[in-house]
Amino acid sequence: MSTATARRAHTARAGAAGNGAAGTPRLSGQLAAFGRSRSGVLTGFAAGAALLLVAAPALLPIFSLTLLGKFICFAIVAVGIGLAWGRGGMLTLGQGVFFGLGAYIMAMHMKLADAALFGGTGVPDFMMLYGSGTVPGWWEPFRSPVVTLAAVVLVPGLVALVLGLAIFKRRVKGAYFAILSQALAAAFAVLLIGQQATTGGSNGLSGFRSFFGLDLADPANKRMLYLLAAVVLLVVVAAARQLMHSRFGELLVAVRDQEERVRFLGYDPATVKTVVYVLAAVMAGVAGALFVPLVGIISPADVGVTPSIAFLIGVAIGGRATVLGPVLGALGVAIAQTSLASTFPSFWVYFQGLLFVLVIGFLPGGLASLPGLLGRMRRRKDDADDGSLPSASKES
């Protein structure tokens, strides 16, 4: 092959790259840049809001809408895990604890309200069967709606604050932190099971009839609950993105990647980690409080080790380092679980575990990193094709 022929071949490949094959990565790059721009983020957020607040209520029946509301609660938990794990490097295997705290606080208020509205005695029905027939003193504050709403936020946050300071000040991290958080979830579930007279034991709390005076049997109220959960998800996503792009978000990433250097610069990594751990706990507590009126039951099976790991799997599959990755991953896993677990009840757990292993082993960044990975592979292929020109010239 002559030099002129090689040049013509290179020109042809360049032209093809500009007009055809390489047009795809160029377009994907433009789309990625649009997604990162402010207008692109606002457009995507508006589209998501329209989908959740307009399209879903208009198209889905009440049963499916309530089910979607349940999945949205899981997505709210996933956003907090994405902050703590994806940005902060804290593998939280015990978010079920904070989810359960918010859920049980709301459930206690609803049981007390139902007992006052429909029972007349003011004592929840299960306490008449398994307890002494009197309401324990630590239940009494939750008769107040204001106290209940404040407790849904403050109790998970305070528990996370105490745990975070105790753990991170001692520089516990990595696998030790993961095991400790998982042990807390297991202990919390065992504690609930052992308190049959006050928490319903393994049966949990169920049979709710009203939510702040609204009849839960009314489809309009169920639709309102779904919309409330969707609005909370949108607010949480917007807050998480703002936090990620703030200076605190950059400091959090620095703590994750180079904790000792951050400490050398005068910052306290334990404080940074504790703040994010508290935020994730508050998100989980709010999600639990929304879960109870939507689903109608809360039990130790919803707050123990298994659901805590399920939260994590959704985040891992979606992409823990992004804003929308945990949301989409949590929604996808929840939908797949509902579809497959009913048909193959014993198969779903193995499939879930296999999916988690595959994602961690072959796609650590989750599905959110797939477009970037494909783009890099395409660029390497193009670079390899361009690198064949010198060898062709030599042959000539």
Side-chain angles (χ1 to χ4, degrees), residues 299-391:
S299 70
D302 299 316
V303 304
V305 173
T306 303
S308 296
I309 294 177
F311 291 146
L312 199 76
I313 290 175
V315 175
I317 292 174
R320 61 182 183 269
T322 61
V323 178
L324 290 181
V327 175
L328 299 178
L331 291 175
V333 169
I335 292 171
Q337 182 178 8
T338 302
S339 304
L340 296 178
S342 58
T343 308
F344 310 102
S346 58
F347 172 75
W348 166 248
V349 178
Y350 299 104
F351 177 75
Q352 193 179 32
L354 177 63
L355 196 59
F356 182 69
V357 170
L358 290 176
V359 169
I360 293 298
F362 298 98
L363 199 63
L367 296 178
S369 65
L370 193 57
L373 179 64
L374 293 177
R376 287 193 297 274
M377 292 174 62
R378 189 59 180 263
R379 284 193 293 273
R380 280 199 293 268
K381 182 176 181 301
D382 292 341
D383 292 342
D385 291 342
D386 291 340
S388 64
L389 177 60
S391 61

Side-chain angles (χ1 to χ4, degrees), residues 40-386:
V41 170
L42 290 177
T43 302
F45 189 81
L51 192 64
L52 287 175
L53 301 179
V54 179
L59 299 176
L60 296 178
I62 287 298
F63 176 78
S64 300
L65 201 63
T66 302
L67 199 59
L68 181 58
K70 172 185 171 182
F71 300 158
I72 286 176
C73 293
F74 297 156
I76 295 172
V77 182
V79 174
I81 295 176
L83 280 176
W85 184 29
R87 308 295 284 190
M90 294 171 281
L91 183 57
T92 55
L93 291 176
Q95 288 304 97
V97 174
F98 309 114
F99 181 82
L101 285 173
Y104 269 89
I105 288 171
M106 182 57 72
M108 286 189 286
H109 169 73
M110 294 172 68
K111 293 298 288 185
L112 290 172
D114 285 351
L117 286 174
F118 305 104
T121 61
V123 181
D125 48 4
F126 75 96
M127 288 186 182
M128 302 296 289
L129 294 174
Y130 305 114
S132 60
T134 58
V135 178
W138 59 278
W139 271 61
E140 290 294 344
F142 302 117
R143 289 189 187 277
S144 168
V146 176
V147 172
T148 300
L149 292 177
V152 162
V153 176
L154 294 178
V155 171
L158 288 175
V159 172
L161 178 64
V162 173
L163 289 175
L165 291 176
I167 293 172
F168 301 129
K169 286 292 183 183
R170 293 178 178 274
R171 302 187 183 183
V172 176
K173 57 185 178 180
Y176 298 102
F177 171 74
I179 294 171
L180 181 59
S181 61
Q182 192 173 45
L184 289 173
F188 183 58
V190 171
L191 176 65
L192 292 173
I193 292 173
Q195 303 298 318
Q196 176 80 23
T198 55
T199 65
S202 57
N203 295 325
L205 302 178
S206 60
F208 310 108
R209 301 172 64 181
S210 66
F211 178 70
F212 292 106
L214 301 175
D215 185 5
L216 287 177
D218 188 345
N221 293 332
K222 290 184 177 180
R223 194 180 301 274
M224 182 272 298
L225 279 172
Y226 161 79
L227 291 174
L228 179 61
V231 169
V232 171
L233 175 63
L234 293 172
V235 171
V236 166
V237 168
R241 187 188 182 279
Q242 189 66 26
L243 180 66
M244 285 183 178
H245 290 79
S246 67
R247 295 192 64 179
F248 181 82
E250 295 176 355
L251 181 60
L252 181 62
V253 174
V255 169
R256 179 194 66 188
D257 295 339
Q258 294 292 340
E259 184 172 337
E260 293 303 323
R261 290 187 181 183
V262 172
R263 185 177 289 106
F264 178 77
L265 292 174
Y267 295 99
D268 185 4
T271 303
V272 177
K273 287 183 175 181
T274 302
V275 169
V276 176
Y277 190 51
V278 169
L279 287 176
V282 169
M283 291 180 189
V286 172
L290 292 169
F291 176 87
V292 170
L294 279 166
V295 179
I297 184 174
I298 184 68
S299 70
D302 299 316
V303 304
V305 173
T306 303
S308 296
I309 294 177
F311 291 146
L312 199 76
I313 290 175
V315 175
I317 292 174
R320 61 182 183 269
T322 61
V323 178
L324 290 181
V327 175
L328 299 178
L331 291 175
V333 169
I335 292 171
Q337 182 178 8
T338 302
S339 304
L340 296 178
S342 58
T343 308
F344 310 102
S346 58
F347 172 75
W348 166 248
V349 178
Y350 299 104
F351 177 75
Q352 193 179 32
L354 177 63
L355 196 59
F356 182 69
V357 170
L358 290 176
V359 169
I360 293 298
F362 298 98
L363 199 63
L367 296 178
S369 65
L370 193 57
L373 179 64
L374 293 177
R376 287 193 297 274
M377 292 174 62
R378 189 59 180 263
R379 284 193 293 273
R380 280 199 293 268
K381 182 176 181 301
D382 292 341
D383 292 342
D385 291 342
D386 291 340

